[in-house]
Amino acid sequence: MKVYICSPLRGDIEANIKKAQQYCRLAIKENHFPIAPHIYFTQFLDDNDPSERKLGMEYAKKLLYECDALWICGDK
């Protein structure tokens, strides 16, 4: 099953990416295929540039529609 990992990015970006990686590892341990675009897209899109953030969000939504489940992780 493809699982979309939704967790905070803004704020402490480095710590939030590490948390998202942990959520992905948990998904894999449970035999799911994790999709976490905020880990991937931030490698080449600038989240502080409004046009690049918008593009990343659009692509992330397309990936969401391909998933079987949505995991909302964290407290936001």
Side-chain angles (χ1 to χ4, degrees):
M1 173 168 58
K2 286 187 272 184
V3 177
Y4 188 101
I5 306 295
C6 180
S7 64
L9 176 66
R10 291 204 168 175
D12 188 345
I13 293 174
E14 188 174 315
N16 289 336
I17 287 176
K18 287 184 183 198
K19 288 178 186 177
Q21 290 169 336
Q22 292 171 349
Y23 304 138
C24 289
R25 290 183 65 81
L26 175 62
I28 287 173
K29 280 185 176 182
E30 295 186 11
N31 296 314
H32 301 306
F33 186 99
I35 305 293
H38 56 306
I39 294 175
Y40 176 66
F41 290 144
T42 55
Q43 298 302 302
F44 52 86
L45 292 175
D46 182 356
D47 198 55
N48 294 312
D49 178 319
S51 64
E52 289 191 16
R53 178 174 170 76
K54 182 180 177 184
L55 182 62
M57 297 292 277
E58 288 173 13
Y59 287 162
K61 281 189 226 175
K62 289 179 182 182
L63 286 172
L64 174 59
Y65 293 124
E66 298 296 322
C67 292
D68 303 300
L70 169 64
W71 285 9
I72 301 174
C73 307
D75 60 356
K76 295 180 181 179

